[in-house]
């Protein structure tokens, strides 16, 4: 029987396994398909902070996580001998109108105080022209462009490979693919598999992306509303003469994210209603067209992949993290939606720390399981 059973092998689940193994626990990771088969195995890998205005606990937590991630990735790469494709390249945000520029100048003042941590200060600069001509296109930035030095990117699939390699080199850790957990019995501390098998555990971490919400329901509680939902995203991957050191471009929900080897990912849609979660369609074509307008160099690049997948959005929109208030052997580590990659390591650290100490995680209030349960109670059935 493992000390810690982790259900799900996306970036959240793998980090939970790493943190539990570092703490000396035996760990079993169960993945119904394969490592990274869900949203974590996508294309974008953008690591971007919230805007620096109206600073709060959530934004501070994300800032600390984005800063600490650099050292964590370096440690993983050293241990595995692999590269995760991480770079802090910054982000460019075109300003289409004068009132956008005025708001950005206010944000620059906010960042001067908020974006400082451990002696490091990150900028939010309003520029008249892009640092690299044509990136983004001049036509997209009639009122200038913002450059922030905090943002970066990581290759989602390489990141997962690095985490897996690290885990496979640790004692008392097993990753088992093709193991579909359909329900959790928190009293008996067992997980039921689709093939009828049962696995006992000391503690379980539910980190199975969209499936986490059904597993939550299997605990026997019936909140008036589902505790989370699936949001479909579509993205595309190009390859061409694109420098991986270029900043991310972000504009009105469109991401253009350079990666190693001349690759560049663009995305993404956010679809609450869909017929086929794995199909790409005209909505992705619209995203690609928007990306071409932002970065015309992509028109000469080769389209190598179209991708679609489901991202888990908890009912309170923020991640749902920590021990279940009624079941002390169950922890939630899910619902990261669009920000999981930048904060998964710190969330996993807190979940494992809470499991060991019995004391609640020191989380932003909106991240807690209680906050999401309250949000479900407030919603009408």
């Amino acid at each position: 029987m493992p000390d810690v059973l982790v259900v799900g092998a996306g970036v959240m689940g793998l980090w939970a396994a790493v943190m539990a193994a570092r703490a000396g626990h035996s760990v079993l990771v169960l993945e119904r398909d394969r490592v990274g088969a869900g949203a974590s195995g996508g294309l974008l890998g953008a690591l971007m902070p919230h805007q620096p205005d109206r600073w709060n606990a959530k934004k501070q937590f994300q800032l600390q996580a984005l800063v600490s991630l650099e050292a964590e990735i370096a440690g993983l790469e050293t241990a595995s001998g692999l590269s995760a494709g991480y770079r802090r390249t910054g982000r460019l945000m075109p300003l289409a109108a004068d009132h956008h520029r005025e708001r950005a100048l206010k944000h620059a003042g906010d960042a001067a105080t908020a974006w400082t941590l451990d002696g490091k200060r990150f900028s939010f600069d309003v520029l008249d022209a892009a640092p690299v001509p044509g990136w983004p296109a001049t036509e997209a930035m009639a009122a200038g462009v913002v450059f922030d030095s905090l943002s970066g990117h990581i290759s989602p699939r390489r990141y997962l490979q690095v985490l897996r390699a690290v885990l496979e080199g640790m004692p008392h850790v097993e990753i088992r693919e093709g193991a579909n957990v359909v329900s959790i019995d928190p009293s008996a501390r067992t997980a039921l598999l689709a093939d009828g098998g049962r696995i006992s555990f000391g503690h379980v971490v539910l980190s199975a992306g969209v499936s986490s919400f059904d597993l939550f329901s299997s605990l026997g509680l019936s909140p008036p509303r589902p505790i989370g939902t699936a949001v479909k995203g579509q993205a595309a991957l190009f390859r061409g003469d694109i420098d991986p050191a270029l900043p991310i471009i972000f504009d009105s929900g469109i991401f253009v994210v350079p990666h190693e080897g001349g690759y560049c990912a663009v995305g993404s849609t956010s679809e609450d209603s869909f017929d086929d979660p794995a199909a790409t369609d005209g909505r992705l074509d619209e995203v690609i067209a928007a990306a071409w307008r932002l970065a015309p160099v992509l028109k000469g690049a080769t389209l190598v992949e179209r991708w679609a997948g489901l991202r888990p959005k908890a009912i309170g929109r923020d991640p749902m993290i920590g021990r279940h208030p009624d079941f002390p052997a169950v922890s939630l580590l899910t619902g990261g939606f669009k920000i999981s990659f930048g904060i998964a390591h710190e969330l996993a650290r807190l979940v494992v720390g809470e499991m060991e100490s019995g004391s609640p995680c020191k989380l932003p209030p909106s991240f807690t399981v209680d906050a999401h349960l309250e949000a479900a109670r407030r919603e009408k059935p």
Side-chain angles (χ1 to χ4, degrees), residues 44 46 48 87-95 125 127-142 144-148 151-153 236-251 254-260 262-267 288 290-301:
L44 290 183
M48 305 192 320
R87 288 181 185 242
R88 177 170 283 131
T89 56
R91 168 181 54 168
L92 291 166
M93 294 179 284
L95 300 171
D125 296 325
L127 310 175
D128 293 327
V132 177
W135 190 270
T138 302
E139 295 79 8
M141 38 179 286
V145 64
V146 168
F147 174 74
D148 92 66
S151 297
H153 70 255
L237 187 66
F238 290 85
R239 191 175 191 185
D241 185 17
I242 301 167
D243 186 349
L246 285 170
I248 296 167
I249 300 175
F250 177 71
D251 183 45
I254 302 298
F255 298 78
V256 180
V257 188
H259 287 290
E260 305 300 315
Y263 289 99
C264 187
V266 305
I288 291 172
W292 281 344
R293 289 192 293 272
L294 287 171
V297 67
L298 290 175
K299 293 182 180 180

Side-chain angles (χ1 to χ4, degrees), residues 131-330:
V132 177
W135 190 270
T138 302
E139 295 79 8
M141 38 179 286
V145 64
V146 168
F147 174 74
D148 92 66
S149 63
L150 176 55
S151 297
H153 70 255
I154 195 165
S155 168
R157 295 168 186 175
R158 289 188 183 186
Y159 191 11
L160 293 169
Q161 289 174 355
V162 169
L163 283 165
R164 180 174 190 162
V166 167
L167 285 167
E168 290 176 340
M170 302 177 85
H172 312 299
V173 175
E174 179 186 355
I175 300 172
R176 193 179 302 173
E177 296 175 307
N180 185 13
V181 177
V182 294
S183 66
I184 300 293
D185 184 337
S187 299
R189 298 196 180 195
T190 59
L192 175 65
L193 304 184
D195 63 7
R198 291 184 180 271
I199 295 178
S200 299
F201 55 80
H203 195 95
V204 64
V205 179
L206 303 183
S207 192
V210 172
S211 297
S212 298
F213 305 133
D214 289 335
L215 291 173
F216 184 95
S217 298
S218 78
L219 299 175
L221 299 178
S222 299
R225 297 285 289 174
I227 205 68
T229 189
V231 178
K232 180 179 176 179
Q234 299 186 49
L237 187 66
F238 290 85
R239 191 175 191 185
D241 185 17
I242 301 167
D243 186 349
L246 285 170
I248 296 167
I249 300 175
F250 177 71
D251 183 45
S252 302
I254 302 298
F255 298 78
V256 180
V257 188
H259 287 290
E260 305 300 315
Y263 289 99
C264 187
V266 305
S268 60
T269 65
S270 291
E271 303 168 48
D272 295 318
S273 177
F274 47 85
D275 295 322
D276 185 345
T280 61
D281 54 32
R283 297 193 64 170
L284 179 55
D285 296 333
E286 293 172 3
V287 169
I288 291 172
W292 281 344
R293 289 192 293 272
L294 287 171
V297 67
L298 290 175
K299 293 182 180 180
T302 301
L303 176 62
V304 295
E305 183 177 351
R306 294 165 65 96
W307 177 91
L310 299 181
R311 296 169 297 199
K313 184 172 76 171
I315 192 168
R317 291 192 59 87
D318 289 330
M320 183 164 58
I321 308 300
R323 186 173 296 196
H324 194 286
D326 298 318
F327 304 118
V330 179

